[in-house]
Amino acid sequence: MILNAAIFLITLFLMEGVGFLAHKYVMHGWGWFLHRSHHEEHLGAFETNDVYLLALGMVAVGLIVLGNSGFDPLQWVGAGVAAFGLIYVLVHDGIVHRHWPVRPQPRNRYLKRLYHAHLMHHAVKGRRNSVSFGFLYAPSVPALKKQLRAMREAERAASRADLCTPSITSDLQNG
Ligand SMILES: [Zn+2]
Ligand SMILES: [Zn+2]
């Protein structure tokens, strides 16, 4: 029993890491075409981004089914994945984005921190230069603002470098 509870909690904890990496490198990478709907204004109750949640649900069900058919600890891994998905739906869809008819408010300090950190994620409209990809762990807003500023600075420096390059090469050719 204790072992099962430990497997469940460790999975939930690790899922935050998996979620962070998937959000940063897949959803804001080659999978942007599905996630994009979540970063734009939308009208319907569903968005193509929900495909990711569906995939997560399928992984959880698959693990629980495998666990039930003999690979015992896997059902607790599956339960951990499912719990992560459930918390995500409740907090992300319910409290942060208010996709539901009832609109719960973030009351305690932890939920408020998640709420503000995720709004910072949405402060950047496009695919690049976003911050706060995690979910259950959220950095403070000042820390995220600092990251955003640093990224904008780097972007500006890069575009300045791009603008300079042709003149350097033409100078070299002329000189
Ligand atoms: Zn995103
Ligand atoms: Zn969001």
Side-chain angles (χ1 to χ4, degrees):
M1 187 60 218
I2 292 172
L3 180 70
N4 290 341
I7 292 173
F8 172 80
L9 288 174
I10 290 169
T11 306
L12 186 58
F13 178 79
L14 290 178
M15 277 308 292
E16 173 65 6
V18 173
F20 177 93
L21 294 174
H23 189 185
K24 185 165 180 164
Y25 296 106
V26 178
M27 294 160 84
H28 280 249
W30 57 265
W32 174 249
F33 70 105
L34 291 172
H35 186 54
R36 184 178 177 178
S37 65
H38 184 61
H39 282 266
E40 287 173 353
E41 292 298 323
H42 57 89
L43 300 167
F46 296 99
E47 37 188 60
T48 53
N49 183 52
D50 294 330
V51 169
Y52 288 113
L53 201 61
L54 201 70
L56 191 74
M58 272 158 42
V59 169
V61 169
L63 286 166
I64 293 169
V65 168
L66 271 177
N68 275 326
S69 55
F71 305 95
D72 217 25
L74 282 185
Q75 60 185 314
W76 293 98
V77 176
V81 174
F84 180 81
L86 198 68
I87 294 171
Y88 178 83
V89 169
L90 288 175
V91 179
H92 177 260
D93 292 2
I95 296 178
V96 180
H97 290 296
R98 312 205 172 144
H99 286 173
W100 303 340
V102 268
R103 302 187 164 186
Q105 298 288 328
R107 290 200 198 281
N108 74 51
R109 272 180 66 186
Y110 172 66
L111 288 179
K112 277 185 187 155
R113 191 172 161 121
L114 289 186
Y115 177 83
H116 290 296
H118 194 69
L119 291 188
M120 293 291 291
H121 176 67
H122 284 278
V124 178
K125 289 282 166 269
R127 181 169 76 89
R128 299 177 62 229
N129 292 335
S130 292
V131 292
S132 186
F133 291 95
F135 201 69
L136 300 180
Y137 169 73
S140 69
V141 169
L144 291 170
K145 280 193 174 153
K146 213 171 141 187
Q147 272 183 42
L148 268 177
R149 267 200 303 271
M151 245 151 13
R152 279 189 193 141
E153 273 304 310
E155 182 93 323
R156 255 181 243 135
S159 64
R160 271 201 299 269
D162 275 355
L163 286 175
C164 290
T165 319
S167 64
I168 291 169
T169 42
S170 62
D171 283 354
L172 284 174
Q173 278 157 6
N174 295 334

